Amino acid sequence: QGGEDGGGGPVVTEEERKKLEKERKKVRKKALKEKKKRMAALSFAGDEEIEDENYGVDDNNEANNDANSSQSTTQDNEKSKKAIMKNPEVDTSFLPDQEREQRAQSERERLRKEWLDRQKAMKEEILEITYSYWDGTGHRRTVQCKKGDTVGQFL
């Protein structure tokens, strides 16, 4: 009893403790990377399907394990392809679309031209201005000018 440190349990050296800590960090990092990778795929499959795949592997038979791993990789590829596919029922009208942008741009251009044509037509309209002045007798005159004319052209 005098030789032990009084703990009664296994003694872990400083080096072993550091190795275990590094290993735990690696495992956490790897799990975090896998989680980020799954989230990047925008899949709603979640953890349940991944855990189900892991339970399907037979640990006792190594030959069967190799066959299952090759099958699971093909299944993983198929599932990743399915997970990335687009849902046709989702409304995507708010997302940028090149064709939609081109249509909107051509519509804007058409409306701009129409507005300019209307402005030009309005400026070409002829106004008849009636005025009168008094110099001892009343005089009533009319002058015609275009809407777009300046005051200098009017006088």
Side-chain angles (χ1 to χ4, degrees), residues 19-98:
K19 285 182 182 178
L20 286 172
E21 199 172 306
K22 283 184 181 181
E23 191 173 316
R24 286 182 191 142
K25 283 184 181 180
K26 284 183 182 179
V27 169
R28 281 188 209 139
K29 247 185 185 177
K30 191 173 186 180
L32 185 63
K33 281 185 181 180
E34 287 179 11
K35 186 176 179 181
K36 283 184 180 180
K37 198 175 196 179
R38 279 183 280 167
M39 294 303 286
L42 293 176
S43 171
F44 294 100
D47 296 328
E48 295 84 22
E49 290 183 12
I50 294 169
E51 289 175 5
D52 291 344
E53 289 176 10
N54 291 339
Y55 287 125
V57 177
D58 187 11
D59 293 332
N60 297 333
N61 189 351
E62 289 182 19
N64 194 13
N65 194 9
D66 290 340
N68 282 343
S69 67
S70 66
Q71 287 177 354
S72 67
T73 56
T74 57
Q75 288 175 353
D76 289 342
N77 289 341
E78 289 174 12
K79 284 189 177 191
S80 67
K81 287 179 184 175
K82 288 180 183 178
I84 295 175
M85 291 188 62
K86 297 177 184 177
N87 185 352
E89 296 174 2
V90 175
D91 178 31
T92 59
S93 62
F94 60 91
L95 295 173
D97 182 16
Q98 187 176 13

Side-chain angles (χ1 to χ4, degrees), residues 73-149:
T73 56
T74 57
Q75 288 175 353
D76 289 342
N77 289 341
E78 289 174 12
K79 284 189 177 191
S80 67
K81 287 179 184 175
K82 288 180 183 178
I84 295 175
M85 291 188 62
K86 297 177 184 177
N87 185 352
E89 296 174 2
V90 175
D91 178 31
T92 59
S93 62
F94 60 91
L95 295 173
D97 182 16
Q98 187 176 13
E99 184 178 317
R100 202 175 314 138
E101 289 292 324
Q102 287 176 349
R103 280 185 281 167
Q105 184 66 29
S106 65
E107 179 69 14
R108 277 190 226 109
E109 186 64 26
R110 184 187 65 79
L111 290 173
R112 187 182 72 80
K113 285 180 181 177
E114 183 180 322
W115 183 80
L116 288 173
D117 290 342
R118 282 186 183 175
Q119 292 294 316
K120 194 173 188 179
M122 284 175 59
K123 286 183 179 181
E124 293 297 318
E125 285 181 26
I126 295 178
L127 288 178
E128 188 171 308
I129 301 171
T130 304
Y131 65 95
S132 63
Y133 64 94
W134 179 266
D135 65 350
T137 61
H139 299 280
R140 187 175 183 101
R141 306 268 195 250
T142 59
V143 174
Q144 291 184 345
C145 65
K146 293 182 181 177
K147 275 189 177 179
D149 286 350

